[in-house]
Amino acid sequence: MKPRIGVACSTMDEVEGRGVRRLHVPEPYVARVEEAGGLPLLLPVSSPSSVAEYLSLVDAVLLVGGDDVDPALYGAPRHPELGPVDRRRDEFEIALVRAVVRGQVPTLGVCRGLQVMNVAMGGTLVQHIPAEVPGAQVHGGLMDEVHPIDVVPGSRLATLVGAARADVNSHHHQAIARLAPGLVVSARADDGVIEAVEGPGPGFLVGVQWHPERMPASRVTAALFRAFLDAVRAR
Ligand code: MN
């Protein structure tokens, strides 16, 4: 049996005027899970009280990118540059993160996935990097533009990247502000923006601010998804 990877769905309003909210996952996430030997299963945004039952059906969780997390969930007023928020998705994913942390279920968070992980565990977010991080470089660029990151020596990420520096894409206007207790920083951009975090324990809890799924030829992407799947098989 292949490891079953629950991929938490993103949401989308009003596609082509159909006036109905949709749940979806960009295909590259599914492709990378399959390449690493996993069986992707989509988890719909639904009642937070169903999280435990969903977790009984999968071996690991992948949190994908998407809209901003509602700042009310980390006790902050809305910044004027805040993007759209979706409270139902936030609440489902926050419940999911708390459950995977409790159950030590291997989890990889990508972009918003890292951010929601931080909020669920008690941290806060920068709502708009250009307005709130003095001297910030460009993070909200096109998906094929890259910037370097410094990987923290001794971190799990350092082990799997195998280098102190790597190039990653950057497609985010938010970032971690106050780091949640229970997470440690494993990479930063040159301007100090947190680009990766992880749980310090033996369980696989990793968040990356970039989009590895959109860099299929990257050695870092391959290593990250391989390590994720290895952690599932080792459990
Ligand atoms: Mn970035």
Side-chain angles (χ1 to χ4, degrees):
M1 289 275 283
K2 294 178 193 138
R4 297 159 301 179
I5 311 301
V7 186
C9 282
S10 189
T11 56
M12 201 185 338
D13 280 329
E14 287 266 354
V15 179
E16 293 158 15
R18 291 189 187 102
V20 64
R21 189 161 170 270
R22 289 174 181 253
L23 307 180
H24 71 103
V25 165
E27 192 174 31
Y29 292 105
V30 166
R32 300 295 87 76
V33 167
E34 278 205 288
E35 284 163 10
L39 182 73
L41 288 171
L42 305 197
L43 304 182
V45 174
S46 54
S47 170
S49 63
S50 301
V51 155
E53 281 184 76
Y54 281 118
L55 287 182
S56 72
L57 303 172
V58 298
D59 303 306
V61 169
L62 174 59
L63 299 163
V64 307
D67 290 336
D68 295 343
V69 177
D70 188 340
L73 292 164
Y74 49 91
R78 293 188 176 200
H79 188 280
E81 298 292 335
L82 178 75
V85 298
D86 180 336
R87 191 63 179 245
R88 282 199 288 167
R89 182 180 179 192
D90 292 343
E91 287 170 3
F92 180 74
E93 290 188 343
I94 284 172
L96 193 54
V97 169
R98 290 180 179 159
V100 298
V101 170
R102 269 197 309 274
Q104 299 203 331
V105 178
T107 297
L108 175 61
V110 171
C111 198
R112 171 196 157 92
L114 158 147
Q115 295 166 5
V116 81
M117 199 181 267
N118 188 58
V119 171
M121 296 172 71
T124 66
L125 301 179
V126 171
Q127 291 186 45
H128 189 60
I129 292 171
E132 295 179 46
V133 180
Q137 61 194 73
V138 174
H139 288 275
L142 299 171
M143 200 62 93
D144 57 357
E145 289 172 1
V146 298
H147 66 61
I149 53 168
D150 279 320
V151 181
V152 175
S155 62
R156 182 190 281 270
L157 188 70
T159 308
L160 65 91
V161 170
R165 213 154 154 84
D167 281 329
V168 299
N169 58 18
S170 196
H171 197 63
H172 57 111
H173 83 119
Q174 299 205 325
I176 289 176
R178 190 183 73 231
L179 186 69
L183 290 174
V184 296
V185 173
S186 55
R188 285 184 192 269
D190 292 344
D191 58 7
V193 165
I194 294 173
E195 289 281 342
V197 297
E198 56 194 49
F204 190 99
L205 181 66
V206 173
V208 297
Q209 184 57 80
W210 71 94
H211 282 273
E213 83 287 357
R214 297 289 296 273
M215 303 179 81
S218 155
R219 207 174 40 78
V220 174
T221 295
L224 187 58
F225 279 87
R226 196 185 314 119
F228 180 36
L229 269 290
D230 284 349
V232 181
R233 290 189 199 93
R235 210 166 162 245

